[in-house]
Amino acid sequence: MVISILRCLHLYFTLEIMLAMASAPARFLLGLKLEPQFNNPHLSTSLQDFWGKRWNIMVTNILRPTVYNPLFRFSTRLLGPQWAPLPSVFGAFVVSAAMHELIFYYMGRLRPTGMVSCYFILHGKLFDGRFRLPPLVSRPLTVGFVVFSSFRLLVPELIRCNVDVRSFEEYAALGAFVKDIGRTLAFSSFKAMLRAEVASGGIRATGRGVRGDYRLLVNLSALLTY
């Protein structure tokens, strides 16, 4: 249970960090401020509030004009405006389910089990904003249902695709890359300081080698092993 919670938190914070890293260059280079992708999802009072206003807002803004609005116009002619939102919302969740099945397939190259689709179709069936409860009651119910259904349907698929293992491998590779950059910069600093000392006479280069301040050489050598 604890490990599953940590996996969910890891997924959430990974998405937050990735989107923050993508928005930073756009802000500094182009002067653009990207729309935040999450809006305190832990404060959701319903599935409609969670999926429509708080979780992965970019995808919501994509599905609304491309899937929901066309289905809503078509359903309005067939069912009337009162019932048109139901098939429209369900259709958007079906498209989202297909997209996530494809994403999971590319992550693990494993045969789909349908659990990811069940997750989104289940949420699409229960997506109804007509029934309102006090936030004190609806908030823990909504968050609890999202977390519980994720544990049962999404997290097992993430484990099957070894997403957590691959993430830690990528973190290790990133750490090694940063460490190599640090060593390269340290070596460049060492050479620059050595040239400066030779030019100033602090170290004299002769045919038999380099002679000078021993303490300085020790300090410069320490840069290479930092």
Side-chain angles (χ1 to χ4, degrees):
M1 182 69 175
V2 176
I3 295 178
S4 298
I5 294 176
L6 292 177
R7 285 194 174 101
C8 289
L9 292 176
H10 171 257
L11 176 62
Y12 172 69
F13 287 116
T14 299
L15 292 174
E16 281 277 30
I17 293 172
M18 290 174 58
L19 294 171
M21 292 175 62
S23 63
R27 179 178 301 176
F28 288 108
L29 298 178
L30 303 176
L32 300 177
K33 185 177 180 180
L34 300 183
E35 182 181 15
Q37 297 309 301
F38 301 97
N39 181 23
N40 298 322
H42 59 281
L43 299 179
S44 302
T45 56
S46 65
L47 289 179
Q48 184 182 30
D49 185 33
F50 178 82
W51 291 110
K53 300 178 181 179
R54 296 186 180 276
W55 181 264
N56 209 351
I57 301 174
M58 179 185 296
V59 174
T60 301
N61 292 336
I62 293 174
L63 290 176
R64 184 177 290 114
T66 57
V67 179
Y68 177 84
N69 290 343
L71 285 176
F72 182 81
R73 289 192 294 267
F74 179 76
S75 301
T76 300
R77 292 194 294 267
L78 293 179
L79 305 174
Q82 182 178 0
W83 297 101
L86 296 179
S88 305
V89 169
F90 186 72
F93 274 92
V94 170
V95 172
S96 180
M99 292 168 55
H100 282 83
E101 286 284 10
L102 185 61
I103 292 172
F104 274 72
Y105 173 75
Y106 278 116
M107 285 193 300
R109 296 291 181 175
L110 300 174
R111 184 176 180 179
T113 61
M115 294 180 66
V116 176
S117 295
C118 289
Y119 174 83
F120 287 96
I121 291 175
L122 175 64
H123 281 239
K125 292 286 288 184
L126 299 177
F127 189 98
D128 193 343
R130 293 178 297 177
F131 303 100
R132 297 291 183 180
L133 295 173
L136 188 63
V137 177
S138 61
R139 188 167 292 154
L141 288 178
T142 301
V143 175
F145 175 76
V146 171
V147 172
F148 178 76
S149 58
S150 299
F151 286 165
R152 300 295 297 177
L153 298 174
L154 284 187
V155 173
E157 291 299 293
L158 291 173
I159 297 174
R160 194 169 73 99
C161 295
N162 292 325
V163 172
D164 51 347
V165 176
R166 295 179 182 180
S167 298
F168 287 119
E169 290 176 351
E170 291 180 0
Y171 295 154
L174 179 61
F177 175 72
V178 173
K179 188 175 181 180
D180 289 341
I181 291 179
R183 288 179 175 176
T184 302
L185 294 176
F187 184 69
S188 300
S189 300
F190 172 81
K191 292 193 296 183
M193 294 174 65
L194 189 60
R195 291 194 191 98
E197 287 297 324
V198 171
S200 63
I203 297 177
R204 291 178 297 169
T206 67
R208 291 178 297 175
V210 177
R211 296 183 301 177
D213 190 349
Y214 176 77
R215 182 182 299 175
L216 176 63
L217 289 177
V218 172
N219 293 335
L220 293 177
S221 299
L223 291 173
L224 297 177
T225 58
Y226 176 72

